[in-house]
Amino acid sequence: MELIDITKELFSTPAYPGDPTASLHFVQRIENGDACNLSVLNAGNHNGTHMDAPLHFVENGADISQMDLSRCCGPCVVVQAQGVLDMQQMEQLLQDTEMPERLLLAGEVWLSREAAVAAAMAGVRLIGTQQASIAPADDPAGAHCALLSAEVAVLENLALDRVQPGTYFLTAFPLKNRGAEAAMVRAVLINGSW
């Protein structure tokens, strides 16, 4: 069994334009005579590898603490794709991968609203991407609204550069931050028998 960490390192991952930058500040240091090292993390909920909850784009949607954790753990398929996927491309991709419940997109790829609708209608429960956003810059709400209103978990900023396309077991549990529209995730693929 091989564990593949697909989480981007928090402090070296660029923040989405307009989002705060993550930083760490030590308030106690052993080297300064303190009993322990103690730090404060300052970050946005969308820094690094993270999961969006419906509340991110759906008025009165579920927050991240209400996420159905069964969506975040189970067999998944990693596929290589490029560009902004339309509905036909998504339908073909799902057909080629036998309609997985969890789909991770490697490459410079984003979803159009129509592609997101096709994924949700096909029964995808979680969809992830290497990009800071699942949606293209010219339509940031389209794919998010289509996925999150269907309660599809959206996993963004994954480290998939060195992951071969194929089937894996995914664990990607978000922090239990009540009232938040997103939370950081430690995402891991398991390759082999699980």
Side-chain angles (χ1 to χ4, degrees):
M1 180 175 68
E2 176 189 14
L3 299 180
I4 305 168
D5 190 351
I6 57 170
T7 310
K8 290 186 178 175
E9 195 282 320
L10 180 62
F11 302 113
S12 62
T13 302
Y16 188 81
D19 283 5
T21 301
S23 63
L24 191 69
H25 171 72
F26 279 87
V27 294
Q28 292 184 28
R29 288 255 192 200
I30 294 171
E31 67 183 27
N32 295 337
D34 295 314
C36 65
N37 292 314
L38 182 66
S39 62
V40 174
L41 171 66
N42 292 302
N45 286 319
H46 301 268
N47 287 133
T49 302
H50 66 277
M51 184 175 291
D52 292 344
L55 182 60
H56 186 33
F57 275 89
V58 178
E59 184 72 21
N60 300 316
D63 69 34
I64 199 71
S65 72
Q66 299 167 314
M67 181 63 64
D68 173 3
L69 295 181
S70 70
R71 296 177 183 279
C72 309
C73 179
C76 77
V77 176
V78 176
V79 298
Q80 187 73 36
Q82 295 295 320
V84 179
L85 300 184
D86 62 23
M87 181 181 289
Q88 287 179 323
Q89 291 168 314
M90 176 57 74
E91 288 172 345
Q92 185 64 52
L93 189 149
L94 292 170
Q95 183 178 346
D96 291 347
T97 56
E98 299 180 15
M99 294 194 190
E101 288 190 350
R102 294 166 200 85
L103 178 66
L104 304 184
L105 302 171
E108 292 191 19
V109 59
W110 300 267
L111 299 186
S112 67
R113 176 188 294 269
E114 294 76 21
V117 168
M121 289 183 66
V124 173
R125 302 178 71 213
L126 175 145
I127 192 161
T129 179
Q130 284 185 247
Q131 308 310 310
S133 176
I134 195 92
D138 64 349
D139 184 16
H144 279 104
C145 289
L147 294 168
L148 296 173
S149 63
E151 297 188 357
V152 176
V154 175
L155 190 55
E156 296 170 323
N157 247 337
L158 294 168
L160 296 171
D161 287 337
R162 297 189 176 119
V163 177
Q164 294 297 314
T167 303
Y168 300 87
F169 190 93
L170 171 70
T171 62
F173 296 113
L175 295 175
K176 193 173 184 177
N177 297 342
R178 186 175 46 146
E181 81 294 346
M184 289 179 253
V185 169
R186 186 69 180 259
V188 176
L189 293 176
I190 301 171
N191 189 20
S193 298
W194 53 76

